[in-house]
Amino acid sequence: MIAGFHGRAINAIRGAKTVAVFTSKSENGQKIAEISPGCVIYSDYGKFLKHPGLDIVNICTPSGAHLEPAVAAAAAGKHVVVEKPLEVTLARCDKLIAACRKYAVKLCTIFHRGSARPIRCSKKQSKRGGSAS
């Protein structure tokens, strides 16, 4: 479950924490709540978007299902982080970007580069105890 990875990453950032989660599967919400004490679980996306202190919405839905929740988050004034790919067609990407511009919120997408050559070399050097430079 990618959301768990994102939850742990958010919680590791100084000054950030996972305060709420929306899910249609309560067991997934419980997993996030276990790693994020005090996190509130919602099954209603509209109520989730109104959660006090919610500034950024991290979209971890399957590919092709990012547009609608991201646009709703932007319309609610939340900054949007989307798991890769941003969307599955250029037209859907354009709609998502346009919505974030319209509502003056930030948009970014997660694009893991762990298999890129410089990252692989850096990891290899790190395991050897050497410098990555």
Side-chain angles (χ1 to χ4, degrees), residues 53-72:
L54 182 66
D55 300 317
I56 302 168
V57 174
N58 197 323
I59 307 292
C60 297
T61 54
S63 297
H66 297 161
L67 178 63
E68 292 78 9
V71 169

Side-chain angles (χ1 to χ4, degrees), residues 66-128:
H66 297 161
L67 178 63
E68 292 78 9
V71 169
K78 311 302 178 189
H79 300 294
V80 181
V81 176
V82 180
E83 179 57 46
K84 69 179 178 341
L86 183 61
E87 249 306 341
V88 294
T89 68
L90 180 57
R92 289 177 68 84
C93 288
D94 287 344
K95 286 179 183 178
L96 205 163
I97 293 166
C100 289
R101 284 185 177 148
K102 176 181 178 180
Y103 296 109
V105 297
K106 302 288 185 191
L107 168 67
C108 75
T109 189
I110 303 298
F111 190 76
H112 185 281
R113 300 239 358 190
S115 61
R117 187 174 186 281
I119 304 299
R120 287 193 323 265
C121 291
S122 179
K123 286 180 180 177
K124 201 179 284 185
Q125 282 297 100
S126 177
K127 285 181 183 176
R128 292 182 188 149

Side-chain angles (χ1 to χ4, degrees), residues 21-41:
V21 63
F22 164 78
T23 183
S24 58
K25 298 179 182 175
S26 61
E27 63 274 10
N28 289 348
Q30 267 318 118
K31 289 177 185 175
I32 300 297
E34 287 172 12
I35 61 171
S36 305
C39 177
V40 179
I41 303 167

